[in-house]
């Protein structure tokens, strides 16, 4: 019985392996063993292994040809989103088939390894010889294991190629979504259900990626991580110290003076405080990213996410600084627009809220692109962000922030000018209508331009107003810089006016460079 047992087990396992390839499972308990003469067992076992290997190689060859056809079709139909979506589904099906086959083969490898453990190692020199049947069984198992390992390696390579093709299709479709403004998306409950499922998967994958990266960085790159953080903090302190040292007079609001600051002073402080501080933060974040990358702390799977987070932080800070410079909540003497204290505060919150929403849309889009999440998730995120921004604009149009005729910043305000209120409602309604109609890409583009382009244009406009105010005759002579120049170089009124003209032109050029 001990001689025939290896053959019976081998025939049983090989038979069930055929069933696993055909049915996708390994129902060992459902197969009834049978016996035959030893020579017939060996021949049947060898034929079964060869048949399985040949079937798997043929299947891999067919799938490889399909992948080549899909890759060629992707290049041909780069602008056809529906065709790309269909190709991605087919590529994912290949990935699924390869995983099922690999799992089945890996299970067989484990069974072979367990059987090899039962058979034991070959006898060492000087030990009694083992029965020939045991030696033959071990050799057959080792040969089968080697063949299956080759097939598994080929299947895993094919699965990786199919996975890369699916990810490439997702990237192309995502670019189509962001670049094609009037692409239509059918809104349905299935879309939100699919997006919800994809979001749960993305959150789990992001948590795993960040967690494994932090563990990796702390265990293997602790010194590099600490060094990068320390150098980034030093760089930030140097940048901030230098900025205040060189331009402190242009970015500080002097609250000690008894008189209200001049229009030129308010413009100058608003413009330079926004530009210098946001440029300092940009330098700090860029230095942090470069130090982390330079010390090889960042991994490719988290580097885009960290970069997107830094961009999000900088953008929100830029809009908040600009909002504080223009609306000056709580400091009506430095305010550049005729708003009440409450109106300035509420308007600032509205602008910052839209900046946060737009920045989150960008950041989450970067996360989806990095993790190769389905396009439907990017569409759902942009849909939600654009809809909320639309309602925020409509709600803002009904505010009463304008300074009253009595000029008391603490008093009740008046509604926006009628034209501006209508414009806000039209923009908000346009965003909501575009979303309802299914033009999510267009809504995303419009909401982005409202926030980003609006912030940049306001900064440029303040810079141009500052340059114009500085260039006026006698205006520059009243500034602290002009006083220092006059004392040091003994300049007269004409020379100071000429210096003011040069300074105004320089501000013009700098504002236009932005």
């Amino acid at each position: 019985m001990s001689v025939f047992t290896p053959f019976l087990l081998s025939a049983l396992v090989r038979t069930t392996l055929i069933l696993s390839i055909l049915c996708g499972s390994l129902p060992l308990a459902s197969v009834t063993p049978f016996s035959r003469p030893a020579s017939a067992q060996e021949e049947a076992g060898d034929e079964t292994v060869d048949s399985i290997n040949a079937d798997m190689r043929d299947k891999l060859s067919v799938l490889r040809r399909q992948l080549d056809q899909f890759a060629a079709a992707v290049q041909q139909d780069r602008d056809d989103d529906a065709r790309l979506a269909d190709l991605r589904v087919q590529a994912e099906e290949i990935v699924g088939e390869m995983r099922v086959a690999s799992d089945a083969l890996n299970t067989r490898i484990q069974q072979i390894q367990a059987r090899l453990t039962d058979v034991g190692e070959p006898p060492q020199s000087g030990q009694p010889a083992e029965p020939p049947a045991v030696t033959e069984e071990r050799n057959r198992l080792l040969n089968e294991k080697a063949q299956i390992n080759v097939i598994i390696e080929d299947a895993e390579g094919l699965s990786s190629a199919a996975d890369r093709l699916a990810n490439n299709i997702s990237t192309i479709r995502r670019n189509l979504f962001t670049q094609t403004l009037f692409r239509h998306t059918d809104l349905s409950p299935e879309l939100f259900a699919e997006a919800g499922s994809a979001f749960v998967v993305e959150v789990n994958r992001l948590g795993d990626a960040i967690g494994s990266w932090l563990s990796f960085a702390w265990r293997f790159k602790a010194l590099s991580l600490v060094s990068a953080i320390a150098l980034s903090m030093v760089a930030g302190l140097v940048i901030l110290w230098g900025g205040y040292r060189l331009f402190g007079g242009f970015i500080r609001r002097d609250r000690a003076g008894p008189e209200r600051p001049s229009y030129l002073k308010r413009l100058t402080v608003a413009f330079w405080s926004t530009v210098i501080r946001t440029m300092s933060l940009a330098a700090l974040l860029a230095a942090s990213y470069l130090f982390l990358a330079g010390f090889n702390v960042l991994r490719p799977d988290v580097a885009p996410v960290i970069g997107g987070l830094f961009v999000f932080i900088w953008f929100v800070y830029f809009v908040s600084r600009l909002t504080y410079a223009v609306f000056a909540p709580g400091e009506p003497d430095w305010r550049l627009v005729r708003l009440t204290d409450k109106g300035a505060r509420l308007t600032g919150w509205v602008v910052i809220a839209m900046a946060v929403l737009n920045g989150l849309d960008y950041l989450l889009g970067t996360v989806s692109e990095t993790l190769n999440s389905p396009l439907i998730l990017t569409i759902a995120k942009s849909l939600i962000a654009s809809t909320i921004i639309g309602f925020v604009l409509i709600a803002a149009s009904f505010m009463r922030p304008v300074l009253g005729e009595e000029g008391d910043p603490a008093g009740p305000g008046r509604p926006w000018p009628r034209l501006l209120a209508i414009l806000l409602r039209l923009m908000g309604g346009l965003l909501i209508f575009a979303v309802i109609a299914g033009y999510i890409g267009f809504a995303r583009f419009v909401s982005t331009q409202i926030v980003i382009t609006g912030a940049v244009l306001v900064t440029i406009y303040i810079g141009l107003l500052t340059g114009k105010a500085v260039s006026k005759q006698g205006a520059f002579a009243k500034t602290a810089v002009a006083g220092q120049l006059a004392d040091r170089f003994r300049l007269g009124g004409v020379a100071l006016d000429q210096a003011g003209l040069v300074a105004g032109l320089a501000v013009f050029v700098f504002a236009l460079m932005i």
Side-chain angles (χ1 to χ4, degrees):
M1 181 65 180
S2 61
V3 175
F4 288 101
T5 300
F7 300 104
L8 293 172
L9 290 174
S10 178
L12 172 62
V13 173
R14 290 188 178 96
T15 303
T16 55
L17 182 56
I18 296 176
L19 295 176
S20 72
I21 298 300
L22 297 176
C23 304
S25 61
L26 291 169
L28 293 175
S30 64
V31 180
T32 304
F34 60 91
S35 62
R36 61 172 67 177
S39 60
Q41 289 280 357
E42 296 172 8
E43 294 174 1
D46 293 339
E47 292 175 0
T48 301
V49 172
D50 293 339
S51 175
I52 291 172
N53 292 340
D55 290 343
M56 284 300 298
R57 290 191 184 97
D58 290 342
K59 185 175 183 179
L60 293 178
S61 179
V62 170
L63 293 177
R64 186 175 288 105
R65 286 196 298 271
Q66 290 180 356
L67 267 186
D68 293 338
Q69 295 172 359
F70 293 164
V74 168
Q75 298 302 320
Q76 182 178 356
D77 301 323
R78 295 180 67 90
D79 297 330
D80 188 344
D81 183 71
R83 175 62 175 157
L84 290 174
D86 182 59
L87 290 173
R88 189 182 191 279
V89 171
Q90 296 180 58
E92 289 178 338
E93 289 176 354
I94 292 179
V95 174
E97 292 180 19
M98 288 299 92
R99 287 174 179 169
V100 171
S102 296
D103 291 342
L105 293 174
N106 282 319
T107 301
R108 175 57 184 152
I109 289 290
Q110 295 174 3
Q111 294 172 341
I112 292 175
Q113 190 59 49
R115 180 58 191 146
L116 285 172
T117 302
D118 293 337
V119 172
E121 296 292 332
Q124 301 295 326
S125 177
Q127 294 181 345
E130 64 183 0
V134 176
T135 303
E136 292 175 1
E137 175 68 8
R138 182 187 299 108
N139 292 336
R140 275 193 298 273
L141 290 171
L142 291 173
N143 179 60
E144 183 181 351
K145 180 180 178 182
Q147 293 184 42
I148 293 178
N149 279 331
V150 172
I151 296 175
I152 289 176
E153 184 177 352
D154 195 14
E156 290 178 349
L158 186 60
S159 177
S160 298
D163 202 24
R164 288 193 299 270
L165 179 61
N167 293 337
N168 184 39
I169 293 174
S170 295
T171 301
I172 295 174
R173 294 187 66 208
R174 192 175 290 107
N175 291 336
L176 277 177
F177 169 71
T178 56
Q179 296 172 7
T180 307
L181 294 183
F182 294 100
R183 177 193 162 198
H184 184 266
T185 302
D186 292 327
L187 303 182
S188 63
E190 291 78 12
L191 181 147
F192 295 99
E194 183 179 351
S197 301
F199 180 72
V200 173
V201 173
E202 182 179 271
V203 170
N204 292 332
R205 291 180 60 192
L206 179 62
D208 293 340
I210 297 298
S212 64
W213 170 65
L214 291 175
S215 176
F216 156 79
W218 186 251
R219 291 177 60 188
F220 303 105
K221 296 282 187 178
L223 180 60
S224 299
L225 178 62
V226 173
S227 300
I229 295 174
L231 289 174
S232 301
M233 294 178 65
V234 171
L237 291 175
V238 169
I239 292 170
L240 290 176
W241 176 82
Y244 275 93
R245 181 78 175 174
L246 296 175
F247 305 102
F250 294 102
I251 61 180
R252 294 193 188 96
R253 290 176 177 174
D254 185 10
R255 300 173 177 84
E259 298 180 355
R260 188 183 186 213
S262 65
Y263 182 64
L264 174 60
K265 179 69 173 178
R266 285 181 283 157
L267 280 174
T268 303
V269 171
F271 178 71
W272 290 111
S273 64
T274 300
V275 171
I276 292 173
R277 284 173 173 164
T278 52
M279 290 180 65
S280 298
L281 180 62
L284 170 61
L285 294 174
S288 301
Y289 187 88
L290 292 176
F291 281 130
L292 290 172
F295 283 100
N296 294 322
V297 176
L298 293 179
R299 291 190 326 203
D301 59 336
V302 298
V305 177
I306 300 300
L309 177 63
F310 284 178
V311 172
F312 169 75
I313 292 173
W314 177 85
F315 174 65
V316 173
Y317 180 79
F318 165 58
V319 174
S320 64
R321 289 307 313 174
L322 180 62
T323 301
Y324 179 76
V326 174
F327 299 132
E331 298 180 284
D333 289 343
W334 290 92
R335 196 167 296 152
L336 295 178
V337 289
R338 292 179 56 81
L339 298 181
T340 62
D341 290 340
K342 181 180 179 180
R345 186 170 57 255
L346 291 177
T347 306
W349 287 350
V350 166
V351 174
I352 293 175
M354 291 193 297
V356 170
L357 288 169
N358 204 272
L360 282 176
D361 185 26
Y362 166 79
L363 176 59
L364 295 177
T366 301
V367 171
S368 296
E369 184 175 354
T370 303
L371 299 179
N372 290 308
S373 300
L375 174 64
I376 193 67
L377 189 55
T378 301
I379 293 176
K381 293 171 183 175
S382 298
L383 181 152
I384 294 173
S386 300
T387 303
I388 295 177
I389 290 177
F391 280 113
V392 168
L393 288 172
I394 293 177
S397 70
F398 292 98
M399 291 168 44
R400 303 174 65 88
V402 180
L403 196 65
E405 295 181 358
E406 66 280 0
D408 183 9
R414 296 180 298 168
W416 293 110
R418 185 173 183 81
L419 180 61
L420 179 58
I422 293 176
L423 181 61
L424 290 173
R425 291 165 195 167
L426 285 177
M427 289 191 297
L430 176 64
L431 289 178
I432 297 173
F433 175 77
V435 168
I436 294 175
Y439 295 100
I440 312 300
F442 175 73
R444 183 177 189 267
F445 171 78
V446 172
S447 62
T448 300
Q449 300 314 308
I450 290 174
V451 179
I452 297 179
T453 306
V456 173
L457 289 178
V458 169
T459 305
I460 295 174
Y461 182 65
I462 294 175
L464 295 178
L465 289 179
T466 303
K468 182 179 179 181
V470 170
S471 303
K472 287 183 177 181
Q473 186 176 3
F476 183 70
K478 300 178 182 178
T479 63
V481 175
Q484 295 176 2
L485 291 175
D487 294 339
R488 184 168 183 176
F489 299 102
R490 300 184 181 279
L491 299 179
V494 175
L496 289 177
D497 285 341
Q498 293 173 347
L501 180 60
V502 173
L505 291 175
V507 174
F508 267 119
V509 172
F510 185 78
L512 292 176
M513 285 174 61
I514 295 178

